[in-house]
Amino acid sequence: MSDRRPAAEELLTARLSLRRPAEADIDAIFAIHHDPATCLHNPSDALTRPAEAEALYRRWNDQWQRYGYGYWVVRRRDSARQLGFCGIKPMELRGREVLNLFYRFAASAWGRGYAGEAATAVTAWVSRHGPDLPLIARIRPNNTASQQVAIRAGLTRAEHLDTPGEDGLDWIYAARPPG
């Protein structure tokens, strides 16, 4: 899908700038994914070595090159400091291709509405420019903050799609649930 417009590489909200990751973001990728608090509900995502952050960046960059979309680095518009990451990736859910909405923010950015604002921007981008695939978010049952972010972004519970995940049961929230 190399016909994606370059504008997809940056999204702006009232407070936030979402930009395609660059090599300069590898340290932030490590810092955020190394913090036990940010991976509490998804411990398999935790990074232990900086080299893992570089490999994760490479996977994210490969997805951008292949599909023309991916994860964005989220910053306040008035700051160069990375707050977190939000974006989409194609995956399979119960034999159907879907887009998984992902968001992970530094603990210092929690409680300010950044994740909801970023997820809403990504969801809006998907509805206007993304591939015609169902948009879902996989969330642990006890991760109420993440559930609220999904709801703010316009997703609703799709209990019939709940499935075992890498770190336990995935509750599925969906904007366009697969059949």
Side-chain angles (χ1 to χ4, degrees):
M1 291 189 200
S2 59
D3 62 338
R4 294 278 177 216
R5 289 173 280 185
E9 293 185 14
E10 181 177 20
L11 304 176
L12 297 174
T13 71
R15 299 183 300 164
L16 303 176
S17 167
L18 288 73
R19 292 195 181 116
R20 180 178 173 171
E23 284 190 33
D25 297 310
I26 292 172
D27 288 343
I29 292 169
F30 179 69
I32 291 170
H33 286 85
H34 182 68
D35 180 350
T38 65
C39 295
L40 177 66
H41 299 285
N42 300 87
S44 66
D45 290 348
L47 302 181
T48 58
R49 298 182 336 262
E52 294 171 317
E54 185 173 341
L56 184 56
Y57 163 73
R58 299 276 176 238
R59 285 195 306 270
W60 290 359
N61 193 54
D62 289 348
Q63 182 188 321
W64 271 97
Q65 290 176 350
R66 182 173 179 192
Y67 295 104
Y69 58 83
Y71 295 160
W72 286 269
V73 177
V74 181
R75 296 174 175 84
R76 285 188 52 89
R77 289 177 80 161
D78 61 358
S79 175
R81 187 173 64 94
Q82 302 95 333
L83 300 171
F85 314 100
C86 185
I88 54 172
K89 75 173 182 178
M91 62 168 288
E92 199 172 285
L93 177 71
R94 296 183 171 226
R96 302 254 343 249
E97 190 173 3
V98 298
L99 294 175
N100 183 65
L101 177 64
F102 168 85
Y103 35 90
R104 176 161 294 134
F105 283 74
S108 62
W110 294 355
R112 296 186 172 101
Y114 296 141
E117 189 172 330
T120 298
V122 170
T123 300
W125 181 87
V126 168
S127 70
R128 290 190 310 272
H129 305 290
D132 189 24
L133 294 171
L135 178 65
I136 62 110
R138 299 171 298 145
I139 303 171
R140 295 292 163 285
N142 60 348
N143 191 347
T144 56
S146 186
Q147 293 166 24
Q148 292 304 310
V149 169
I151 290 167
R152 180 172 175 196
L155 283 66
T156 57
R157 271 291 274 130
E159 294 176 23
H160 67 288
L161 296 173
D162 291 352
T163 188
E166 209 170 315
D167 294 309
L169 178 65
D170 282 335
W171 275 9
I172 304 300
Y173 285 73
R176 300 181 304 221

